[in-house]
Amino acid sequence: MPNYRRNRIPGGTYFFTVNLQDRASDLLITHIDALRTSVLSVKHRHPFRIDAWVALPDHLHCIWTLPEHDDDYSSRWRAIKKAFSKSIPKTEYRSQTHIKRNERGIWQRRFWEHTIADDRDYAAHMDYIQYNPVKHGWVASVKEWPHSTFHRLVEKGVYPLDWVGGAAEIPDKGERDE
């Protein structure tokens, strides 16, 4: 079994990519209310700040900041995935392994995490999140995508409503959302 190394900094700010197992699925936007409820439920029990979020049909990206003495984002993701999976109808394909492990087969087992290093890194990842629906061809402009924190960030003055993006290419992107 691989030994996955996670960078854990109490009170850290992290960028995440979380994928559905079926990359042709649209569960995350079809059941966006269930996703929101799952996140808010976990956030209530185990607080964290959502700096940015975008949900696409088959994957999501977000930036979280954890409380000062807390570095346990993995438990939060496990709880979000579990709550979401329990809240939607059982229609997905389940392999023999999923059945044996009593798993739904909705989510990829792992997630991608990156510790935000500095203000420049933070800004690049914020832009990447906001621009992602345009990058994938779901909308022509960022303001058209309803499943993100973009409009909240516009209200706070972080982005102008007509922001067209810089589509920052994130270094060491790997296979996060191809």
Side-chain angles (χ1 to χ4, degrees):
M1 179 173 214
N3 181 16
Y4 290 93
R5 290 183 171 198
R6 298 279 188 197
N7 193 22
R8 299 187 181 280
I9 298 173
T13 300
Y14 302 91
F15 169 84
F16 299 100
T17 298
V18 183
N19 296 311
L20 294 179
Q21 185 163 321
D22 177 2
R23 297 305 303 270
S25 176
D26 66 355
L27 283 178
L28 294 178
I29 59 172
T30 302
H31 298 286
I32 192 70
D33 290 334
L35 178 61
R36 286 182 178 132
T37 299
S38 300
V39 170
L40 291 175
S41 172
V42 172
K43 191 174 177 246
H44 178 74
R45 291 189 318 271
H46 306 284
F48 59 94
R49 184 179 75 222
I50 296 172
D51 297 83
W53 196 294
V54 65
L56 293 136
D58 65 340
H59 71 281
L60 60 85
H61 300 288
C62 58
I63 297 175
W64 294 356
T65 300
L66 296 181
E68 187 176 341
H69 299 292
D70 191 343
D71 66 0
D72 188 10
Y73 49 78
S74 293
S75 292
R76 288 169 171 86
W77 276 120
R78 186 171 30 261
I80 289 167
K81 288 177 172 184
K82 183 177 181 179
F84 179 78
S85 297
K86 284 184 170 188
S87 70
I88 64 172
K90 295 180 179 181
T91 59
E92 73 280 356
Y93 167 77
R94 292 175 65 207
S95 68
Q96 288 300 317
T97 303
H98 290 129
I99 293 166
K100 180 180 173 183
R101 294 180 177 177
N102 199 27
E103 294 175 346
R104 287 285 305 268
I106 294 172
W107 299 98
Q108 285 186 359
R109 285 206 176 100
R110 307 276 189 271
F111 56 86
W112 197 88
E113 155 268 321
H114 165 77
T115 304
I116 300 295
D118 55 29
D119 289 345
R120 184 174 176 209
D121 192 29
Y122 182 84
H125 283 82
M126 288 287 284
D127 290 353
Y128 182 83
I129 288 171
Q130 305 316 317
Y131 192 74
N132 215 251
V134 176
K135 173 189 169 199
H136 287 286
W138 293 107
V139 291
S141 70
V142 176
K143 67 183 176 186
E144 296 172 13
W145 191 252
H147 310 300
S148 78
T149 54
F150 179 71
H151 291 282
R152 183 184 83 186
L153 294 167
V154 166
E155 288 175 13
K156 289 182 172 185
V158 175
Y159 291 98
L161 183 60
D162 60 351
W163 184 73
V164 294
E169 279 301 315
I170 306 298
D172 300 319
K173 187 173 143 226
E175 296 289 326
R176 282 184 282 178
D177 66 355
E178 292 340 344

